[in-house]
């Protein structure tokens, strides 16, 4: 059974703050991935800043409402992956999970999902504002499935790099699509990307064939 995140803004940001603060304080003890900790830190602070600006009568307006909605959606999506990673981490005790408002692993993972065995069917669509939208699907008799749960996948990871990059970058998504945003100076550069399914422990399966697109 998955965790239902608090729905009300105040309760959600307090819940996320508690997890964030404990992960920051104990990241070495729990051997947390430093890249993902950095993403947690950025996602939480962006969402909290947007929340504070929106609840302040002196700064609240239509822009802060929109910004808060976008930042909260990004934090919620990241937390859906991060929570599963924390529960699967046996260095984190049951008491620690309870203190963070997370489910017990004794009831959460009866049988851990295996490493995915197949690669996603991947499509990249070039947007009009320096964005690339990546769509993945599970081929089933020639028809893509709409639900990750049919295969037991938690989401997918995209690995990408621009033509002048020396290292690959990675982004995770628990949906069947992901949007990569680039700056105006990236216009005209080629982007190479590949995708793989991940399980709740963020273990990925085989990579799809590489796709090369032009950033517009």
């Amino acid at each position: 059974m998955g965790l239902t995140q608090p729905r009300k803004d105040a309760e959600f940001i307090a819940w996320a703050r508690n997890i964030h603060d404990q992960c920051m304080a104990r990241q070495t003890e729990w051997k947390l991935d430093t890249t993902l900790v950095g993403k947690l830190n950025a996602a939480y602070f962006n969402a909290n800043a947007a929340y504070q600006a929106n609840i302040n009568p002196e700064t609240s307006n239509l822009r802060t409402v929109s910004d808060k909605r976008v930042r909260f959606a990004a934090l919620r999506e990241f937390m859906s992956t991060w929570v599963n990673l924390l529960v699967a981490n046996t260095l984190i005790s049951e008491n620690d999970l309870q203190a963070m408002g997370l489910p017990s692993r004794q009831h959460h993972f009866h049988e851990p999902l295996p490493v995915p065995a197949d690669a996603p069917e991947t499509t990249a669509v070039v947007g009009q504002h320096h964005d690339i939208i990546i769509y993945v699907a599970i081929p089933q008799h020639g028809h893509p499935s709409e639900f990750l749960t049919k295969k037991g996948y938690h989401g997918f990871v995209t690995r990408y790099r621009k033509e002048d990059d020396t290292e690959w970058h990675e982004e995770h998504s628990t949906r069947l699509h992901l949007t990569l945003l680039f700056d105006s100076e990236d216009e005209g550069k080629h982007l190479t990307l590949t995708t793989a399914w991940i399980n709740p422990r963020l273990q990925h399966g085989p990579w799809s064939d590489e796709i090369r697109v032009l950033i517009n």
Side-chain angles (χ1 to χ4, degrees), residues 53-65:
N54 192 57
I55 62 173
N56 185 342
E58 297 182 0
T59 58
S60 180
N61 53 40
L62 291 177
R63 184 190 61 78
T64 63
V65 171

Side-chain angles (χ1 to χ4, degrees), residues 126-195:
V126 179
Q128 299 180 348
H129 304 286
H130 312 116
D131 59 309
I132 306 292
I133 307 172
I134 303 166
Y135 296 93
V136 294
I138 305 169
Q140 288 190 347
H141 307 295
H143 300 284
S145 167
E146 296 180 357
F147 303 101
L148 293 177
T149 52
K150 289 187 177 181
K151 283 283 188 177
Y153 300 151
H154 177 68
F156 75 98
V157 56
T158 295
R159 180 176 289 178
Y160 66 94
R161 66 180 178 188
K162 295 175 292 188
E163 60 188 59
D164 53 354
D165 286 341
T166 58
E167 297 182 355
W168 290 92
H169 307 280
E170 288 190 358
E171 293 290 343
H172 294 77
S173 176
T174 55
R175 302 181 181 180
L176 290 173
H177 58 85
L178 172 69
T179 300
L180 300 177
L181 301 176
F182 299 95
D183 299 324
S184 57
E185 56 263 29
D186 295 321
E187 184 173 344
K189 296 180 181 179
H190 282 95
L191 182 77
T192 302
L193 63 93
T194 180
T195 66

Side-chain angles (χ1 to χ4, degrees), residues 22-66:
Q22 295 202 48
C23 288
M24 291 298 113
R26 305 178 69 180
Q27 59 180 306
T28 301
E29 176 186 349
W30 291 343
K31 296 184 179 179
L32 303 178
D33 182 276
T34 54
T35 299
L36 290 177
V37 168
K39 291 183 177 181
L40 166 67
N41 193 46
Y44 165 71
F45 273 103
N46 287 338
N48 187 54
Y51 171 73
Q52 297 299 332
N54 192 57
I55 62 173
N56 185 342
E58 297 182 0
T59 58
S60 180
N61 53 40
L62 291 177
R63 184 190 61 78
T64 63
V65 171
S66 176

